[in-house]
Amino acid sequence: MKNIMLLLLAIAFLFSCSKEEKKLTLKNPEVFSFYVDDSWEVTATAFAEGFKVNKNGDNNYVNLFYQVDLITPEGDTVKQIDLGTIEEVQKDEEEEVKIESQIALGSNFKEGKYKLVIDVKDLLSNQETKTVKEINLTKE
């Protein structure tokens, strides 16, 4: 009986260790800016991976919240310059989800080096991650 208990305990330990917990990460962040009609347009993209997927029959559900902050050359932060949620229903379990933000800054932002902070929270697993990408606003 003692050997059976040890064997069951060892099997339970192996199964618990074999499940690798995914960690939410952002990869390949890119930021572009355009000066059009006396105002700035900024596009930012990143790919989230390691998020939790809820399965329901043949469908897979993803629920991510993102917000984008802008840090000015002076170090001031414009909070939540963009935000949104991604609630996807997929037939196949995808490894990554594209996060895309399009921001109209207007003409009151001067040329200089800014930073965009993309902050993502997986609402299913409560994991969070962020990435910072520098962008140089120039009229050239």
Side-chain angles (χ1 to χ4, degrees):
M1 184 68 172
K2 198 176 196 182
N3 288 338
I4 293 175
M5 290 299 287
L6 286 173
L7 180 62
L8 290 175
L9 185 61
I11 291 172
F13 179 74
L14 287 175
F15 276 109
S16 67
C17 291
S18 66
K19 263 192 175 178
E20 185 179 318
E21 186 174 322
K22 294 180 180 180
K23 184 176 179 187
L24 180 64
T25 58
L26 292 174
K27 67 178 190 175
N28 300 328
E30 293 184 4
V31 179
F32 304 100
S33 68
F34 308 94
Y35 191 72
V36 180
D37 296 330
D38 295 329
S39 65
W40 296 101
E41 300 285 332
V42 176
T43 300
T45 60
F47 292 88
E49 62 182 12
F51 45 83
K52 185 174 180 181
V53 176
N54 275 353
K55 296 176 188 259
N56 186 359
D58 290 340
N59 294 323
N60 297 305
Y61 298 90
V62 174
N63 196 352
L64 302 174
F65 170 79
Y66 68 90
Q67 80 174 37
V68 180
D69 299 335
L70 179 71
I71 302 173
T72 67
E74 296 79 26
D76 298 325
T77 301
V78 181
K79 298 292 268 177
Q80 295 185 341
I81 200 157
D82 189 26
L83 54 90
T85 57
I86 298 172
E87 298 173 329
E88 291 193 4
V89 178
Q90 307 163 338
K91 286 285 185 187
D92 300 323
E93 187 174 340
E94 292 187 23
E95 296 288 322
E96 61 187 25
V97 170
K98 183 178 183 180
I99 297 171
E100 186 171 25
S101 176
Q102 294 183 335
I103 306 161
L105 292 180
S107 60
N108 56 338
F109 288 86
K110 64 180 184 176
E111 292 184 70
K113 291 189 181 199
Y114 292 77
K115 292 181 183 175
L116 276 184
V117 180
I118 304 171
D119 193 354
V120 177
K121 181 174 183 178
D122 180 352
L123 298 176
L124 299 177
S125 70
N126 286 321
Q127 291 187 72
E128 291 185 57
T129 190
K130 68 178 166 182
T131 187
V132 179
K133 192 73 176 172
E134 191 172 278
I135 183 168
N136 193 15
L137 296 184
T138 61
K139 295 180 184 176
E140 295 177 9

